[in-house]
Coordinates of all heavy atoms in Angstrom, one line a residue:
M9 N 104.2 90.5 103.8 CA 104.2 89.0 103.5 C 103.5 88.6 102.3 O 103.8 87.6 101.6 CB 103.6 88.3 104.7 CG 104.4 88.4 106.1 SD 106.1 87.9 106.0 CE 107.0 89.4 105.8
L10 N 102.5 89.4 101.9 CA 101.8 89.1 100.6 C 102.6 89.4 99.4 O 102.5 88.7 98.4 CB 100.5 90.0 100.5 CG 99.3 89.5 101.3 CD1 98.3 90.6 101.5 CD2 98.6 88.3 100.6
C11 N 103.5 90.4 99.4 CA 104.2 90.8 98.2 C 105.0 89.7 97.6 O 105.7 89.0 98.3 CB 105.1 92.0 98.6 SG 104.3 93.5 98.9
G12 N 104.8 89.4 96.3 CA 105.5 88.4 95.7 C 105.0 87.0 95.8 O 105.5 86.0 95.2
T13 N 103.8 86.9 96.4 CA 103.2 85.5 96.6 C 102.0 85.3 95.6 O 101.6 86.3 95.0 CB 102.7 85.3 98.0 OG1 101.5 86.2 98.2 CG2 103.7 85.7 99.0
E14 N 101.5 84.1 95.6 CA 100.4 83.8 94.8 C 99.1 84.4 95.2 O 98.1 84.3 94.5 CB 100.2 82.2 94.8 CG 99.9 81.7 96.1 CD 99.8 80.2 96.2 OE1 99.6 79.5 95.1 OE2 100.0 79.6 97.2
L15 N 99.1 85.0 96.4 CA 97.9 85.7 96.9 C 97.8 87.2 96.6 O 96.7 87.8 96.7 CB 97.8 85.5 98.4 CG 97.9 84.1 99.0 CD1 97.8 84.2 100.5 CD2 96.8 83.2 98.4
M16 N 98.9 87.8 96.1 CA 99.0 89.2 96.0 C 98.2 89.7 94.7 O 98.4 89.2 93.6 CB 100.4 89.6 95.8 CG 100.6 91.1 95.7 SD 100.2 92.0 97.2 CE 100.5 93.7 96.8
P17 N 97.2 90.6 94.9 CA 96.5 91.1 93.8 C 97.2 92.2 93.1 O 98.2 92.8 93.6 CB 95.2 91.7 94.4 CG 95.7 92.1 95.8 CD 96.7 91.1 96.2
D18 N 96.8 92.6 91.9 CA 97.3 93.7 91.2 C 96.7 95.0 91.8 O 95.5 95.2 91.6 CB 97.0 93.6 89.7 CG 97.5 94.8 88.9 OD1 98.2 95.7 89.5 OD2 97.2 94.9 87.7
I19 N 97.5 95.8 92.5 CA 96.9 97.0 93.1 C 97.6 98.2 92.5 O 97.7 99.3 93.1 CB 97.1 97.0 94.7 CG1 98.5 96.7 95.1 CG2 96.1 96.0 95.2 CD1 98.7 96.9 96.6
S20 N 98.1 98.1 91.3 CA 98.6 99.3 90.6 C 97.5 100.3 90.4 O 96.3 99.9 90.3 CB 99.2 98.9 89.2 OG 98.3 98.2 88.5
R21 N 97.8 101.5 90.5 CA 96.9 102.7 90.3 C 95.8 102.7 91.5 O 94.8 103.4 91.4 CB 96.1 102.6 89.0 CG 97.1 102.7 87.8 CD 96.4 102.6 86.5 NE 95.7 101.3 86.3 CZ 96.4 100.2 85.9 NH1 97.6 100.3 85.7 NH2 95.7 99.1 85.8
H22 N 96.1 102.0 92.6 CA 95.3 102.0 93.8 C 95.9 103.0 94.8 O 97.1 103.1 94.8 CB 95.1 100.7 94.4 CG 94.2 99.7 93.7 ND1 94.4 99.3 92.4 CD2 93.1 99.0 94.2 CE1 93.4 98.5 92.1 NE2 92.6 98.3 93.1
V23 N 95.1 103.5 95.6 CA 95.5 104.2 96.9 C 95.6 103.0 97.9 O 94.6 102.3 98.1 CB 94.6 105.3 97.3 CG1 95.0 105.8 98.7 CG2 94.5 106.4 96.3
V24 N 96.8 102.9 98.5 CA 97.0 101.8 99.5 C 97.1 102.4 100.9 O 97.9 103.3 101.2 CB 98.3 101.1 99.2 CG1 98.6 100.0 100.2 CG2 98.2 100.5 97.7
L25 N 96.2 101.9 101.8 CA 96.2 102.3 103.2 C 96.8 101.2 104.0 O 96.5 100.0 103.8 CB 94.7 102.5 103.7 CG 94.0 103.9 103.3 CD1 94.0 104.1 101.8 CD2 92.6 103.9 103.9
V26 N 97.7 101.6 104.9 CA 98.4 100.6 105.8 C 98.3 101.1 107.2 O 98.3 102.2 107.5 CB 99.8 100.3 105.4 CG1 99.9 99.7 104.0 CG2 100.7 101.6 105.4
E27 N 98.3 100.1 108.1 CA 98.4 100.3 109.6 C 99.2 99.2 110.2 O 99.5 98.2 109.6 CB 97.0 100.4 110.2 CG 96.1 99.2 109.9 CD 96.4 98.0 110.8 OE1 96.9 98.2 112.0 OE2 96.2 96.9 110.4
E28 N 99.7 99.5 111.4 CA 100.5 98.4 112.1 C 100.3 98.5 113.6 O 99.9 99.5 114.2 CB 102.0 98.6 111.7 CG 102.9 97.5 112.2 CD 102.4 96.1 111.7 OE1 102.6 95.7 110.6 OE2 101.7 95.5 112.6
V29 N 100.6 97.4 114.3 CA 100.5 97.3 115.7 C 101.6 96.5 116.3 O 102.0 95.5 115.7 CB 99.1 96.8 116.1 CG1 99.0 95.3 115.7 CG2 98.9 96.9 117.6
A30 N 102.1 96.9 117.4 CA 103.1 96.1 118.2 C 104.4 95.7 117.5 O 104.9 94.6 117.7 CB 102.4 94.8 118.7
E31 N 104.9 96.6 116.7 CA 106.2 96.4 116.0 C 107.1 97.5 116.4 O 106.7 98.7 116.5 CB 106.0 96.4 114.5 CG 105.2 95.2 114.0 CD 106.0 93.9 114.1 OE1 107.2 93.9 114.3 OE2 105.4 92.8 113.9
H32 N 108.4 97.2 116.6 CA 109.4 98.2 116.9 C 109.5 99.2 115.6 O 109.2 98.7 114.5 CB 110.7 97.6 117.1 CG 110.9 97.0 118.5 ND1 110.5 95.6 118.7 CD2 111.3 97.4 119.7 CE1 110.7 95.3 119.9 NE2 111.2 96.4 120.6
L33 N 109.9 100.4 115.8 CA 110.0 101.3 114.7 C 111.0 100.9 113.7 O 110.9 101.1 112.5 CB 110.3 102.7 115.2 CG 109.1 103.4 115.9 CD1 109.5 104.8 116.5 CD2 107.9 103.6 114.9
Y34 N 112.1 100.2 114.2 CA 113.1 99.7 113.2 C 112.5 98.6 112.3 O 112.8 98.5 111.1 CB 114.4 99.2 113.9 CG 114.2 98.0 114.7 CD1 114.1 96.7 114.1 CD2 114.1 98.1 116.1 CE1 114.0 95.6 114.9 CE2 114.0 96.9 116.9 CZ 113.9 95.7 116.3 OH 113.8 94.5 117.0
A35 N 111.5 97.8 112.9 CA 110.8 96.8 112.1 C 109.8 97.5 111.1 O 109.7 97.0 110.0 CB 110.1 95.9 113.0
V36 N 109.2 98.6 111.5 CA 108.3 99.3 110.6 C 109.1 99.9 109.5 O 108.7 99.8 108.3 CB 107.6 100.5 111.4 CG1 106.9 101.4 110.4 CG2 106.7 99.9 112.4
D37 N 110.3 100.4 109.7 CA 111.2 100.8 108.7 C 111.6 99.7 107.7 O 111.5 99.9 106.5 CB 112.5 101.4 109.3 CG 113.4 102.1 108.3 OD1 113.1 103.3 108.0 OD2 114.3 101.5 107.8
R38 N 111.9 98.6 108.3 CA 112.2 97.4 107.5 C 111.1 97.0 106.6 O 111.2 96.6 105.4 CB 112.6 96.2 108.4 CG 113.1 95.0 107.7 CD 113.2 93.9 108.7 NE 114.2 94.2 109.7 CZ 114.2 93.7 111.0 NH1 113.2 93.0 111.4 NH2 115.2 94.0 111.8
L39 N 109.9 97.0 107.2 CA 108.7 96.6 106.4 C 108.4 97.6 105.2 O 108.1 97.2 104.1 CB 107.5 96.6 107.3 CG 107.4 95.4 108.3 CD1 106.4 95.6 109.4 CD2 107.3 94.1 107.6
F40 N 108.6 98.9 105.5 CA 108.4 99.9 104.4 C 109.4 99.7 103.4 O 109.1 99.9 102.2 CB 108.3 101.3 105.0 CG 107.0 101.8 105.4 CD1 106.6 102.0 106.7 CD2 106.0 102.0 104.4 CE1 105.4 102.4 107.1 CE2 104.7 102.4 104.7 CZ 104.4 102.6 106.1
F41 N 110.7 99.4 103.7 CA 111.7 99.2 102.7 C 111.2 98.1 101.8 O 111.4 98.2 100.5 CB 113.0 98.7 103.4 CG 113.9 97.9 102.5 CD1 114.6 98.6 101.5 CD2 114.1 96.6 102.8 CE1 115.4 97.8 100.7 CE2 115.0 95.9 101.9 CZ 115.6 96.5 100.9
H42 N 110.7 97.0 102.3 CA 110.3 95.9 101.4 C 109.0 96.2 100.7 O 109.0 96.0 99.4 CB 110.0 94.6 102.3 CG 109.5 93.5 101.5 ND1 110.2 92.8 100.5 CD2 108.3 92.8 101.6 CE1 109.5 91.8 100.0 NE2 108.3 91.8 100.7
V43 N 108.0 96.7 101.3 CA 106.7 97.0 100.7 C 106.8 98.0 99.6 O 106.3 97.8 98.5 CB 105.7 97.4 101.8 CG1 104.5 98.1 101.1 CG2 105.2 96.2 102.6
T44 N 107.5 99.1 99.8 CA 107.6 100.1 98.8 C 108.3 99.6 97.5 O 108.0 100.1 96.4 CB 108.3 101.4 99.3 OG1 109.5 101.0 99.8 CG2 107.4 102.1 100.3
Q45 N 109.2 98.6 97.6 CA 109.8 98.1 96.4 C 108.8 97.4 95.5 O 109.0 97.3 94.3 CB 110.9 97.1 96.8 CG 112.0 97.6 97.7 CD 112.9 98.6 96.9 OE1 113.3 98.4 95.8 NE2 113.1 99.8 97.6
S46 N 107.7 96.9 96.2 CA 106.7 96.1 95.4 C 105.5 96.9 95.0 O 104.6 96.4 94.3 CB 106.3 94.9 96.3 OG 107.3 94.1 96.7
L47 N 105.5 98.2 95.4 CA 104.3 99.0 95.2 C 104.5 100.1 94.2 O 103.6 101.0 94.0 CB 103.8 99.6 96.5 CG 103.3 98.6 97.6 CD1 102.7 99.4 98.8 CD2 102.3 97.6 97.0
R48 N 105.5 100.0 93.4 CA 105.7 101.0 92.4 C 104.6 101.0 91.4 O 104.2 99.9 91.0 CB 107.1 100.8 91.7 CG 108.3 100.9 92.6 CD 109.5 100.5 91.8 NE 110.7 100.3 92.7 CZ 111.5 101.2 93.0 NH1 111.4 102.5 92.6 NH2 112.6 100.9 93.8
G49 N 104.0 102.1 91.1 CA 102.9 102.1 90.2 C 101.5 102.3 90.9 O 100.5 102.5 90.2
I50 N 101.5 102.4 92.2 CA 100.3 102.6 92.9 C 100.0 104.2 92.9 O 100.9 105.0 92.6 CB 100.3 102.2 94.4 CG1 101.3 102.9 95.2 CG2 100.6 100.7 94.4 CD1 101.2 102.7 96.7
A51 N 98.8 104.5 93.1 CA 98.4 105.9 93.1 C 98.9 106.7 94.3 O 99.0 107.9 94.2 CB 96.9 106.1 93.0
G52 N 99.2 106.0 95.3 CA 99.7 106.7 96.5 C 99.5 105.8 97.8 O 98.8 104.8 97.7
L53 N 100.1 106.2 98.8 CA 100.1 105.5 100.1 C 99.6 106.4 101.2 O 100.0 107.6 101.3 CB 101.4 104.9 100.5 CG 101.5 104.0 101.7 CD1 102.3 102.8 101.5 CD2 102.0 104.8 102.9
R54 N 98.7 105.9 102.0 CA 98.2 106.6 103.2 C 98.5 105.8 104.5 O 98.4 104.6 104.4 CB 96.7 107.0 103.1 CG 96.4 107.9 102.0 CD 94.9 108.1 101.9 NE 94.3 108.6 103.1 CZ 93.0 108.4 103.5 NH1 92.2 107.8 102.6 NH2 92.6 108.8 104.6
L55 N 98.9 106.5 105.5 CA 99.3 105.8 106.7 C 98.3 105.8 107.8 O 97.9 106.9 108.3 CB 100.7 106.3 107.2 CG 101.2 105.7 108.5 CD1 101.6 104.2 108.3 CD2 102.4 106.5 109.0

């Protein structure tokens, strides 16, 4: 929800840690589809 908004910081070259709760796996897949489009240039992602 942050991606593309006025609240989103520049996290390029950062390691990004994410977690989730109470979402169907198809929704997790949908979220990763959107988030990864916006995180190109990060140092990596940890789950």
